[in-house]
Amino acid sequence: MSTVILLLVTGLGLGALYFLVAAGLSLIYGLMGVLNFAHGSFLTIGAFAGFELSRRIGDGSWTALIASMALGALVGMVVAALTEFFLIRPLYTRHIEQVLVTVGLALASVALFEGIWGTDPIYTAKPALLRKTTLILGARIPNDRFLLIGCAILVLLAIVIFLKKTRYGLIIRAGVENRSMVTALGIDVRRAFTLVFAIGGAAAGLGGVLASVYYGYVSAHIGGSLLIFAFIVTVIGGLGSLAGAAVASVLVALLQQFANFYVGGTGDLAVVLALAAVLLIRPRGLMGKKT
């Protein structure tokens, strides 16, 4: 029983990490129709920014961790907004070019990160409390999993409240439905869409710092490896569905954890098979809308 509890809670922690990356992907595609293959770069630059700040403040302190999380989100937000403004905005009606530009940016950014920080992982420290465990029904759960779960819940609530309760959220949703009408009313939809990209980048940057807490290191490839699972989560949940991304993040992470433990480390294979099954049975995803 304790093993099942351990796998469940650690799976939720991993699912929280997947959601932080997939939330931006789902939001950007659902509201803007852009498949952003450079999204992992926002995560990686956020992780490195958090690492650089943390080691200057003092690795292993709560002050360093909180400041790193804030800086990671800010850097991810700024880089994402600049990417949208300079690279994506001229290509909104040219989807092939969007893919080529974002893939090129992802490859170039990895080379840039390797040039600055090297190709080897850089190990990081975290507060003493997060290095300890909490006993739940006989299972010793690493405390850092609770931090990831809490942050993912807060991000989900913040995005939902923003889209449903704020003026810019209303503009964004209206612009998706009828961009020309909103523009005719004198509202600059482009600015709202840049904000969407920025929000997605902030979630990814925060996810980058939390990924360094989860894995214990940062590297130039951490964003690319997580982006693969984020795309799987986004497709399974339904392209453009934030709720679908949240549900699929948990399902994918739990499947991965249980398959790794009980079926000889086949978690990645199980996730790919689940993706294939969803595409065959329900191509629009678990919570995707009919088009």
Side-chain angles (χ1 to χ4, degrees):
M1 180 63 181
S2 62
T3 300
V4 173
I5 297 298
L6 177 62
L7 292 174
L8 281 173
V9 180
T10 55
L12 288 175
L14 181 59
L17 184 56
Y18 288 163
F19 172 74
L20 288 172
V21 189
L25 280 176
S26 183
L27 188 67
I28 290 168
Y29 182 83
L31 298 178
M32 303 161 66
V34 175
L35 275 176
N36 179 24
F37 289 90
H39 198 71
S41 300
F42 307 156
L43 183 148
T44 306
I45 190 64
F48 275 120
F51 160 73
E52 290 291 345
L53 180 62
S54 178
R55 73 185 181 90
R56 285 168 171 77
I57 294 178
D59 282 336
S61 69
W62 278 105
T63 301
L65 177 59
I66 294 171
S68 297
M69 290 166 60
L71 181 63
L74 178 62
V75 169
M77 178 178 67
V78 171
V79 173
L82 292 175
T83 300
E84 190 279 336
F85 186 82
F86 288 107
L87 297 179
I88 303 299
R89 184 176 292 185
L91 303 175
Y92 271 126
T93 59
R94 298 155 61 185
H95 299 291
I96 300 289
E97 287 87 343
Q98 284 177 10
V99 171
L100 294 175
V101 165
T102 55
V103 168
L105 180 59
L107 296 174
S109 63
V110 169
L112 176 63
F113 299 147
E114 288 181 339
I116 298 174
W117 287 284
T119 57
D120 296 328
I122 302 173
Y123 294 95
T124 59
K126 52 189 173 185
L129 179 62
L130 297 184
R131 296 195 296 269
K132 297 179 180 179
T133 59
T134 297
L135 189 64
I136 299 179
L137 299 178
R140 293 202 167 274
I141 311 298
N143 289 338
D144 57 8
R145 276 34 173 195
F146 300 115
L147 174 65
L148 268 69
I149 294 169
C151 288
I153 292 173
L154 290 176
V155 168
L156 175 60
L157 291 175
I159 293 175
V160 170
I161 292 172
F162 169 77
L163 290 176
K164 294 187 177 295
K165 301 295 183 180
T166 67
R167 178 177 180 273
Y168 261 107
L170 177 62
I171 291 172
I172 290 167
R173 290 187 288 122
V176 170
E177 295 296 329
N178 194 328
R179 181 171 180 172
S180 58
M181 179 62 73
V182 175
T183 303
L185 294 173
I187 299 173
D188 188 357
V189 179
R190 294 175 302 175
R191 184 182 302 173
F193 282 2
T194 302
L195 182 59
V196 172
F197 240 84
I199 292 171
L206 174 61
V209 177
L210 292 175
S212 70
V213 173
Y214 183 91
Y215 293 115
Y217 67 85
V218 292
S219 77
H221 299 277
I222 193 170
S225 60
L226 281 171
L227 184 65
I228 295 172
F229 290 103
F231 268 117
I232 292 174
V233 162
T234 303
V235 172
I236 290 178
L239 284 169
S241 172
L242 191 64
V247 172
S249 295
V250 173
L251 294 178
V252 166
L254 289 177
L255 175 62
Q256 195 174 18
Q257 294 287 83
F258 277 89
N260 278 333
F261 187 84
Y262 288 110
V263 199
T266 59
D268 292 353
L269 175 61
V271 169
V272 172
L273 292 177
L275 172 64
V278 170
L279 290 175
L280 288 172
I281 298 171
R282 191 179 174 87
R284 67 178 183 272
L286 299 178
M287 302 181 70
K289 297 179 180 180
K290 290 184 179 181
T291 57

